Amino acid sequence: MAKALSQFTRQLVAQNPVTHQILGVCSALAVTTSLDTALMMSAALTAVICLSSAIISFLRHHIPQAIRLIVQITIIASLVIVIDELMRAFAFELSRALSVYVGLIVTNCLVLGRAEAFAMRNPVAPSLLDALGNGIGYSLILIIVGSIRELLGHGTLLGITILPIVADGGWFQPLSFMQLAPAAFFIIGLMVWSIRSLDLSEAEIAEYDLQGERSQG
Amino acid sequence: MTDLLVASIFQENLVLAYFLGICTFLAVSERVDTAVGLGIAIIAVQSITVPVNALILNGALVDGAWRWAGLPDVDLSHLRLIAFIGVIAAIVQILEMTLERFFPRLATALGSFLPLITVNCAILGGSLFMAERQYSIPEAAVYGFGSGLGWALAIIAFAAIRERLRYSDMPRAMHGLASAFLVTGLMSLGFAAFARVPL
């Protein structure tokens, strides 16, 4: 149990699916223009990954090796359709804002990756915990990026004014750049950089080490 | 039509404006020649799957598509996700077999990229955008080709930049992934300038 818990916490920061394993980056960048869409997407993805890992792990002895990818994708796609329909029924405005990205959970490498790498080989309980850890790790990044982009882009969080903007008589000039696509790339890039600066063992080895050559020459 | 083509290549570039296919974009862009191979494969698959999915969507899944069969109330549009995935997987498989039979050299060059494409969100995303924006079938064909071309253009340019980037003297933690994100951000900024181009 202690091992399972340490595995769980490791996935939140050190082995974070988005910044460490580069899984599920597409949606992490696209739905983070505001905090509410980021939260909704996190909830949808965590639900899908937990359910799919549990179901796939439950069926793992009955899935033939040769067609396992098709079975996994079908299970995931069915779950996504259920979530998508639920979202349309109870949160129509948000599902409009998320547009195609809910459907794209199907091809989110994170969900399929955990199914293939973990749920196919482990019993139900550890698979569920693994999926939950990855889901929360993914949500964490989405929430951080979503908060930064909404706060600096509109001066609000979840629609509540935090920094009063100039147009309403406040002091904060909103950075509309934060709402554009490049800002998402920059924020994730800077996050990866800072995580790797804290823990240099994560950093990739440079193919051409200029420092080394300089000291030799 | 020309507007749609230009818009789908530049303004609405799938990677740089809609973040689709980023995983593959970051993973397979170490060298220009592999990027060119993947780019061609994406153009081919995208230009076939989007119109085929449009046909299936309009012919079998939209509200009232089964009226001719005496079933006016059947609306299967919630099944479009599963239908699109099935079509994409099948087309990739058929394309692979056809290439092996008729163009074996091209097949060996593209071989390893084709399976990757089935789970590439750019391909599924293209079809979902087509469904959401309700393109007609000719429009879907143009959009499929244009968005594939835009993706290929982006990855080839990015791979070329990355080849040079290898020799740059960056802080150690920035090598690889962090620099890749920042460069993509700069490219995206460049492509955002196309949004101001009047069509």
Side-chain angles (χ1 to χ4, degrees):
Chain A
M1 196 63 209
K3 196 179 155 216
L5 270 181
S6 76
Q7 172 75 13
F8 180 80
T9 47
R10 225 151 51 93
Q11 272 154 356
L12 299 188
V13 185
Q15 296 274 322
N16 187 287
V18 180
T19 57
H20 177 76
Q21 307 172 50
I22 339 178
L23 293 175
V25 183
C26 320
S27 52
L29 294 161
V31 301
T32 48
T33 47
S34 65
L35 187 55
D36 54 353
T37 49
L39 280 172
M40 196 65 180
M41 186 68 188
S42 308
L45 187 117
T46 312
V48 170
I49 194 173
C50 287
L51 288 170
S52 73
S53 276
I55 294 172
I56 288 165
S57 158
F58 184 68
L59 295 174
R60 70 187 185 283
H61 297 304
H62 305 284
I63 299 176
Q65 273 298 310
I67 56 158
R68 65 179 195 286
L69 277 178
I70 296 173
V71 175
Q72 287 165 4
I73 288 185
T74 316
I75 292 174
I76 296 168
S78 319
L79 288 167
V80 171
I81 290 176
V82 173
I83 299 272
D84 195 22
E85 295 288 310
L86 278 177
M87 219 178 253
R88 255 170 232 212
F90 296 107
F92 187 71
E93 285 303 312
L94 272 180
S95 96
R96 262 279 118 96
L98 288 174
S99 91
V100 299
Y101 294 99
V102 179
L104 285 172
I105 295 178
V106 178
T107 49
N108 193 311
C109 358
L110 177 55
V111 181
L112 196 63
R114 285 338 281 176
E116 178 74 5
F118 202 92
M120 280 301 280
R121 298 189 198 128
N122 290 287
V124 177
S127 304
L128 195 60
L129 202 62
D130 172 77
L132 193 66
N134 276 288
I136 295 175
Y138 170 89
S139 309
L140 210 62
I141 300 291
L142 251 71
I143 291 167
I144 295 171
V145 180
S147 311
I148 297 175
R149 289 181 76 185
E150 193 183 339
L151 191 64
L152 298 182
H154 288 303
T156 58
L157 275 183
L158 287 174
I160 303 160
T161 309
I162 306 287
L163 306 171
I165 59 171
V166 172
D168 301 337
W171 54 271
F172 181 66
Q173 180 69 51
L175 305 160
S176 47
F177 172 71
M178 280 292 155
Q179 295 291 308
L180 301 177
F185 286 112
F186 290 138
I187 293 173
I188 298 243
L190 294 175
M191 275 171 81
V192 174
W193 183 17
S194 30
I195 289 176
R196 289 187 173 179
S197 314
L198 294 176
D199 181 8
L200 271 180
S201 65
E202 296 263 317
E204 287 162 52
I205 310 290
E207 273 175 78
Y208 300 93
D209 189 1
L210 295 178
Q211 304 282 336
E213 274 171 30
R214 232 180 256 156
S215 59
Q216 276 163 20
Chain B
M1 281 297 187
T2 341
D3 290 4
L4 183 65
L5 182 68
V6 176
S8 62
I9 299 174
F10 296 108
Q11 277 108 326
E12 300 179 355
N13 189 293
L14 283 181
V15 199
L16 300 171
Y18 289 106
F19 314 103
L20 296 178
I22 289 282
C23 311
T24 332
F25 184 78
L26 292 176
V28 196
S29 52
E30 296 276 333
R31 291 161 53 94
V32 172
D33 47 357
T34 46
V36 171
L38 183 66
I40 293 171
I42 291 268
I43 296 176
V45 175
Q46 189 81 313
S47 358
I48 303 170
T49 52
V50 177
V52 169
N53 278 334
L55 263 177
I56 289 179
L57 184 74
N58 291 326
L61 298 177
V62 291
D63 198 4
W66 295 94
R67 188 164 291 133
W68 55 271
L71 301 165
D73 299 327
V74 176
D75 177 8
L76 296 176
S77 50
H78 60 277
L79 285 182
R80 65 178 196 207
L81 203 56
I82 268 191
F84 288 175
I85 286 273
V87 167
I88 291 166
I91 284 176
V92 169
Q93 198 82 53
I94 293 169
L95 195 68
E96 205 174 353
M97 291 189 312
T98 320
L99 284 181
E100 259 166 33
R101 174 71 183 79
F102 297 105
F103 308 96
R105 285 192 58 194
L106 194 60
T108 39
L110 293 183
S112 54
F113 300 122
L114 283 171
L116 260 181
I117 284 175
T118 320
V119 288
N120 186 316
C121 26
I123 303 287
L124 182 63
S127 292
L128 287 174
F129 273 128
M130 172 275 295
E132 195 179 83
R133 297 171 186 169
Q134 296 174 334
Y135 286 144
S136 67
I137 292 171
E139 277 172 343
V142 171
Y143 178 74
F145 176 72
S147 57
L149 190 63
W151 204 94
L153 198 68
I155 196 173
I156 293 167
F158 182 57
I161 296 175
R162 261 187 119 169
E163 281 199 353
R164 312 294 300 184
L165 212 60
R166 242 183 269 163
Y167 303 101
S168 61
D169 189 10
M170 291 178 282
R172 215 186 124 203
M174 209 164 167
H175 274 285
L177 191 56
S179 64
F181 269 115
L182 295 179
V183 169
T184 316
L186 289 173
M187 281 178 72
S188 167
L189 205 55
F191 269 65
F194 287 115
R196 299 289 169 86
V197 178
L199 288 174

